Amino acid sequence: MTKKISLAVAVLMICSMAGAQDLNLDNILSDHSKAIGLGNLRKVNTITMTGTIIQQDAMPVKIIKMRPDKYLMEFDIQDITGFQGYDGQTAWTTAPWSGNPKPQVMPDDRAKELRSRADFDGLLYHWKEKGHLVELVGRDTVEKTPAFKLKVTKKDGGIEYYYMDAIKSTILKRAYSRMVRGQEVAVENYFKDYRMVQGVLFAFTQVTYFGGQLYNTLQFDTIQLNNPVDTNAFRMPVQ
């Protein structure tokens, strides 16, 4: 009996050591790259996504990204079209329903978020070269799913947390904070309904909580790769 107990303890110790060896940042990021089809994504130059934002009402939305760091979101509010854009240097927005139809340069706190969205391959790819710091800070769960928790200190000083599915190696959740009227507000993005599009994995549903309350749900109907896109579309219109 004693020999059996000793053997069982030894097996548990070996398994524990193996688990500890697997729990390192390089392995986690490597598995993530394979899971999302990063090799295929690197061959993509544009992404065009169409769908609906549900925020009290359902609003049509179209998002276009162009390598390496251009982003444009077009959305309708009560049949009035607004834009959020980033051309690689300037983040801008229009909000005609506010009474001012002219495009405006985004304040820095909002521009940081748009710059993050514009990173074509994601913050985790070549993070050292981009000037970010990524750290594995432990394990957690997201809606009962075991996850690795990564802390990202961005080049601009912002801090974000990414929760990576410990089995599937997909991003389950992103958490960060935004300054609103001089106060920090917690923001959480949940990524669901992953599907392959030409060998690249995308979350077709994104749910956002703002200050602990449900803010909106973004549901994509179509995601197309390498559609022709005019570079000028990302620039702030001159009026």
Side-chain angles (χ1 to χ4, degrees):
M1 179 66 70
T2 303
K3 289 183 178 180
K4 290 182 178 179
I5 293 175
S6 299
L7 180 59
V9 171
V11 170
L12 287 172
M13 289 179 63
I14 292 171
C15 291
S16 177
M17 291 172 62
Q21 290 171 350
D22 289 339
L23 185 60
N24 71 71
L25 183 62
D26 289 341
N27 287 347
I28 291 169
L29 294 182
S30 176
D31 289 344
H32 173 63
S33 296
K34 293 173 185 175
I36 66 171
L38 183 60
N40 294 322
L41 179 61
R42 294 289 298 157
K43 301 172 186 176
V44 175
N45 290 314
T46 67
I47 301 172
T48 305
M49 316 167 84
T50 60
T52 304
I53 296 179
I54 301 171
Q55 185 177 332
Q56 295 181 340
D57 296 323
M59 301 174 288
V61 64
K62 182 178 182 179
I63 295 173
I64 304 173
K65 299 176 68 174
M66 176 180 280
R67 186 176 294 283
D69 55 5
K70 293 177 174 59
Y71 177 93
L72 181 68
M73 180 169 73
E74 175 184 338
F75 55 100
D76 289 351
I77 296 180
Q78 296 178 347
D79 296 325
I80 302 175
T81 302
F83 295 90
Q84 292 182 358
Y86 180 67
D87 63 4
Q89 294 183 327
T90 302
W92 56 276
T93 184
T94 65
W97 52 85
S98 68
N100 182 4
K102 294 183 178 181
Q104 305 288 324
V105 175
M106 278 190 175
D108 190 57
D109 61 317
R110 293 184 63 196
K112 288 180 180 179
E113 168 60 14
L114 221 59
R115 286 195 290 268
S116 290
R117 296 186 202 173
D119 189 323
F120 201 92
D121 298 311
L123 294 180
L124 300 177
Y125 176 71
H126 278 186
W127 54 270
K128 290 181 182 178
E129 291 83 345
K130 294 173 182 176
H132 308 317
L133 173 64
V134 180
E135 303 169 89
L136 173 61
V137 294
R139 296 177 182 266
D140 209 321
T141 58
V142 177
E143 297 178 329
K144 298 182 180 181
T145 299
F148 299 121
K149 183 178 180 181
L150 308 182
K151 179 181 179 181
V152 180
T153 304
K154 298 193 294 182
K155 183 180 180 179
D156 61 19
I159 295 177
E160 302 183 0
Y161 292 91
Y162 285 78
Y163 297 78
M164 197 87 68
D165 190 314
I167 304 299
K168 297 180 180 180
S169 299
T170 54
I171 295 174
L172 298 171
K173 174 183 169 183
R174 171 185 173 227
Y176 61 103
S177 61
R178 269 183 54 186
M179 294 298 295
V180 179
R181 299 183 184 91
Q183 293 186 337
E184 279 195 2
V185 179
V187 183
E188 295 176 320
N189 306 131
Y190 290 81
F191 302 93
K192 307 169 183 285
D193 189 19
Y194 276 95
R195 307 181 206 170
M196 276 288 182
V197 179
Q198 298 178 35
V200 182
L201 196 65
F202 291 95
F204 272 67
T205 302
Q206 300 178 16
V207 182
T208 298
Y209 286 82
F210 201 80
Q213 302 295 316
L214 177 62
Y215 182 65
N216 65 33
T217 299
L218 176 56
Q219 178 66 56
F220 294 115
D221 299 318
T222 65
I223 296 180
Q224 298 175 315
L225 310 183
N226 287 324
N227 281 355
V229 175
D230 184 356
T231 305
N232 292 322
F234 302 95
R235 295 176 182 165
M236 186 171 77
V238 177
Q239 293 189 0

